[in-house]
Amino acid sequence: MKALGSDTSLEDVNRIMADIDTDSDGFISLEEFAGFCKGSSGGGDGDDGGMKELRDAFELYDLNKNGLISAKELHQILSQLGEKCSVEDCANMIKPVDSDGDGYVNFVEFKKMMSNNPSNSFRWRWF
């Protein structure tokens, strides 16, 4: 969380993990994250179906705040999180989500990806 610029305390991170990590394996899977964003894990205090949390997650990746996630932005975040991948790898991660073919992920595409069937083989590493 610190690599992403958050000052969230360890106690808060542990509480969030306990809420989202429904199988208690120490990781947040795409299915668990999507469930959280849909509001099925008890997250959020509003009745927006997890849209605020989903928007917040999207904005973590949209570094230049232009409403689009580029391969370069994805690469930068994943690198900060210690992932070893190239910008080209990130572009390949974006392709299955990029329904309008512009080379970016917009919020509608991001939201669709997060609400897709969890058995899809495509996965992003969110945390």
Side-chain angles (χ1 to χ4, degrees):
M1 295 293 291
K2 287 181 183 178
L4 296 174
S6 173
D7 62 353
T8 305
S9 71
L10 180 59
E11 180 179 293
D12 286 341
V13 170
N14 288 333
R15 182 186 51 76
I16 292 166
M17 282 294 293
D19 287 346
I20 300 172
D21 183 20
T22 58
D23 63 5
S24 300
D25 67 354
F27 299 92
I28 297 174
S29 68
L30 179 59
E31 295 86 357
E32 290 167 329
F33 185 72
F36 171 74
C37 290
K38 291 178 185 177
S40 65
S41 67
D45 55 2
D47 193 20
D48 66 355
M51 281 298 112
K52 180 188 178 319
E53 290 83 0
L54 190 57
R55 176 62 74 178
D56 289 346
F58 177 83
E59 289 176 0
L60 284 175
Y61 287 86
D62 181 16
L63 299 175
N64 65 5
K65 306 303 179 205
N66 69 346
L68 301 168
I69 300 170
S70 69
K72 186 176 177 181
E73 288 170 313
L74 180 58
H75 178 259
Q76 187 174 344
I77 291 294
L78 292 179
S79 294
Q80 289 174 350
L81 295 173
E83 294 293 327
K84 303 291 186 218
C85 60
S86 67
V87 174
E88 183 179 336
D89 293 334
C90 292
N92 289 331
M93 292 171 71
I94 285 174
K95 283 179 186 175
V97 179
D98 181 19
S99 60
D100 62 10
D102 66 357
Y104 300 91
V105 176
N106 62 40
F107 183 70
V108 172
E109 292 163 336
F110 182 83
K111 184 170 73 169
K112 183 177 179 183
M113 178 190 68
M114 294 309 297
S115 64
N116 276 347
N117 183 340
S119 66
N120 289 343
S121 60
F122 174 76
R123 294 178 187 267
W124 272 15
R125 296 178 194 122
W126 297 109
F127 298 99

